[in-house]
Amino acid sequence: MNLKHLSLAERQNYENMTVVPILSDTNTPFDVLDLKEGLKMGLVKIEECDNSNIEQVKLKNNSVSPLILLDGEEIAGSLQNRIVAQTMIIPPKSEMEIPVNCSEKGRNEYKSEFQYSDYIANSNTRRKKAYNKNNPLQEVVWNSIDDLETDKNTSSKTKALRDSYEKNKYDIDSYLKHFKMENNQIGVICIVENKVDLEIFNNHSLYEKYDEMLLRSYIIDSSSSEKINISDNELENILASINEDSFIKKEAIGLGKYYKISNSYGNGQILIYKNDMVHASFFKKIEEPAVNNGFVKNIQNNKQAIC
């Protein structure tokens, strides 16, 4: 895996959000079926497990091609909507149980067969998953969806992630039209308020499938706060930090090798298949605002005087 061939395109700015396309001159062929197309064509079937479990579903890939599932990708229906727990590749002609998280905690009754949602977990939810250490992952997801409702001043009868997207569709669309995809784009850096997040894919064709959905997941987390200033040089350093030295091997579901990424810049995940990167996501640590030492000292002196 080599990220040295990547470059950054010109920044695209709108309101409090900046999008920086990640470009590549190479275009590695990668024959894989995506979940949206697989469900649409009837080649993929997703059902509840025999013993119903909100953190697992049963998936059948009847295609002759490997199937890619993206971290945070949502399926809607059945007993509750779910989001995919990590990026994975499911072998052709196979059936297996896969890890998911419930994204609709207020429903536990059958609605329909699982269908593609066209949404992905909002970036703050995926960020919190990447930084979670000791809390049950399902609680982290539910709490984050609750936070999103609070931030957007919306409510959902079943606490569904999808409802927050639907109720904010107009505002999201008004942002989305200001960002365009480049011809050789394979990823994106999104700067929203004080957060810097990256998505990188194997090639342009694969990235193209998720571009709009990913941008929506960042737009929905924007508010009126100002974004941080960060140089292109610093962004390039963050890209360069995503290398084997920062990989922590974890259990892969299906094909390939799955790693958590952890370094001085932040946390993320990466899936590698046949020595090629499939998808990497990375969330830069949020830096605390600098505090004026003189101001702090004055406060301390005033407290002592009062005492």
Side-chain angles (χ1 to χ4, degrees):
M1 188 207 68
N2 187 349
L3 301 183
K4 292 182 179 180
H5 64 284
L6 302 183
S7 61
L8 303 181
E10 185 176 345
R11 299 184 181 209
Q12 302 174 21
N13 299 290
Y14 181 70
E15 298 292 346
N16 61 331
M17 183 168 170
T18 294
V19 167
V20 186
I22 299 173
L23 310 180
S24 174
D25 292 332
T26 62
N27 191 23
T28 308
F30 190 66
D31 182 22
V32 66
L33 178 70
D34 63 277
L35 181 58
K36 182 177 182 177
E37 191 68 15
L39 287 170
K40 180 181 177 181
M41 297 175 64
L43 295 172
V44 175
K45 178 85 170 176
I46 304 177
E47 301 173 313
E48 299 288 349
C49 295
D50 295 336
N51 296 318
S52 183
N53 181 345
I54 62 172
E55 295 186 88
Q56 277 190 318
V57 292
K58 183 166 57 178
L59 183 147
K60 297 178 183 178
N61 177 18
N62 294 316
S63 167
V64 295
S65 298
L67 170 72
I68 182 171
L69 307 177
L70 201 68
D71 174 45
E73 206 169 8
E74 188 180 52
I75 50 175
S78 197
L79 296 178
Q80 309 95 13
N81 298 349
R82 312 296 221 289
I83 57 172
V84 175
Q86 66 186 61
T87 298
M88 60 190 89
I89 295 181
I90 308 302
K93 298 293 184 178
S94 67
E95 176 180 333
M96 61 193 306
E97 293 183 356
I98 63 167
V100 294
N101 292 115
C102 173
S103 54
E104 188 183 18
K105 71 177 177 181
R107 180 170 66 89
N108 188 26
E109 58 183 11
Y110 187 81
K111 186 176 182 179
S112 66
E113 290 187 354
F114 276 121
Q115 301 172 350
Y116 196 71
S117 169
D118 282 320
Y119 295 115
I120 189 172
N122 61 307
S123 62
N124 282 346
T125 296
R126 294 174 61 226
R127 167 181 282 274
K128 289 169 183 175
K129 284 174 54 184
Y131 281 90
N132 181 55
K133 290 184 178 179
N134 301 316
N135 297 320
L137 194 54
Q138 183 58 70
E139 291 296 328
V140 171
V141 171
W142 277 339
N143 290 340
S144 183
I145 294 172
D146 288 345
D147 290 342
L148 178 62
E149 286 195 357
T150 301
D151 291 343
K152 294 301 175 183
N153 195 26
T154 59
S155 62
S156 165
K157 184 178 179 180
T158 61
K159 296 291 184 179
L161 169 70
R162 180 181 173 84
D163 289 349
S164 289
Y165 274 108
E166 292 292 333
K167 291 176 180 179
N168 289 277
K169 187 176 186 304
Y170 178 82
D171 291 337
I172 294 172
D173 286 347
S174 69
Y175 264 71
L176 190 61
K177 65 184 180 182
H178 292 275
F179 304 118
K180 66 175 184 177
M181 183 170 53
E182 301 290 345
N183 290 333
N184 54 344
Q185 183 173 349
I186 67 163
V188 66
I189 300 174
C190 289
I191 305 170
V192 183
E193 299 170 2
N194 61 345
K195 299 182 289 292
V196 180
D197 303 333
L198 292 79
E199 309 281 351
I200 314 172
F201 289 80
N202 180 274
N203 59 31
H204 174 72
S205 297
L206 188 58
Y207 172 77
E208 187 176 22
K209 297 175 184 294
Y210 303 104
D211 172 72
E212 185 174 306
M213 188 167 65
L214 284 169
L215 289 181
R216 289 180 182 275
S217 78
Y218 289 99
I219 293 169
I220 197 172
D221 286 327
S222 65
S223 66
S224 58
S225 302
E226 292 184 3
K227 64 177 180 287
I228 62 172
N229 291 318
I230 185 167
S231 67
D232 283 350
N233 184 60
E234 183 73 356
L235 294 180
E236 289 169 355
N237 288 339
I238 295 171
L239 265 178
S241 76
I242 302 175
N243 55 52
E244 285 84 353
D245 293 337
S246 63
F247 293 175
I248 304 169
K249 191 171 184 179
K250 298 292 182 179
E251 181 182 0
I253 308 299
L255 304 174
K257 297 178 180 179
Y258 177 73
Y259 302 88
K260 292 290 187 180
I261 305 170
S262 183
N263 57 41
S264 61
Y265 283 104
N267 290 356
Q269 65 163 8
I270 186 168
L271 179 65
I272 297 174
Y273 178 55
K274 294 184 178 180
N275 295 322
D276 284 326
M277 172 186 61
V278 177
H279 170 239
S281 58
F282 190 78
F283 306 90
K284 185 179 181 295
K285 293 177 183 176
I286 296 176
E287 297 179 4
E288 296 296 330
V291 179
N292 185 290
N293 291 333
F295 180 68
V296 172
K297 190 174 292 184
N298 287 336
I299 292 177
Q300 293 172 341
N301 292 338
N302 288 339
K303 283 184 178 179
Q304 293 173 356
I306 292 172
C307 295

